[in-house]
Amino acid sequence: MTTKAYQSDNLTVKQSGRESLATMKLVVLYTRQGCHLCDDALALLAQFGVRPEVVDIDSDPLLVEQFHLWVPVIAIDGKVRFRGQINETLLARELGR
């Protein structure tokens, strides 16, 4: 039996015989202007083929209160997984790569 995997942006489709499974990871990058670590996080996500939803925390006072000193923040499927500097190995694991 052959197995094929296709990746496109945040979508991974695996086909094995008659079965197919599609899993999509929702990735949100919380950032703010002038944040060099945020730029690094966005570039790292791009290396994995991920185009996250980018949210500027300064556009919402509640987000500023929640993430003020912690940007960049990466949430995957609604759960905060990273704050500050992003570990590439752990990110790969979280993304299933």
Side-chain angles (χ1 to χ4, degrees):
M1 180 181 337
T2 61
T3 300
K4 297 179 183 178
Y6 305 93
Q7 292 182 348
S8 173
D9 297 321
N10 296 350
L11 180 64
T12 301
V13 178
K14 295 181 181 178
Q15 292 182 323
S16 177
R18 288 174 264 147
E19 300 174 45
S20 70
L21 171 65
T23 58
M24 182 183 289
K25 301 261 185 193
L26 174 62
V27 179
V28 179
L29 173 62
Y30 295 95
T31 184
R32 64 178 0 154
Q33 290 198 6
C35 171
H36 72 281
L37 290 176
C38 299
D39 296 336
D40 294 347
L42 186 59
L44 184 57
L45 287 166
Q47 287 178 2
F48 286 104
V50 175
R51 288 189 291 182
E53 176 185 347
V54 178
V55 177
D56 184 339
I57 67 165
D58 292 318
S59 66
D60 183 337
L62 293 176
L63 290 175
V64 171
E65 184 178 326
Q66 186 175 4
F67 297 130
H68 175 64
L69 297 175
W70 295 104
V71 291
V73 174
I74 295 178
I76 301 174
D77 290 337
K79 295 183 181 180
V80 172
R81 297 296 185 188
F82 300 94
R83 296 175 188 216
Q85 194 165 1
I86 310 306
N87 181 298
E88 183 175 351
T89 303
L90 293 177
L91 179 61
R93 187 176 302 151
E94 287 290 334
L95 295 173
R97 307 281 194 319

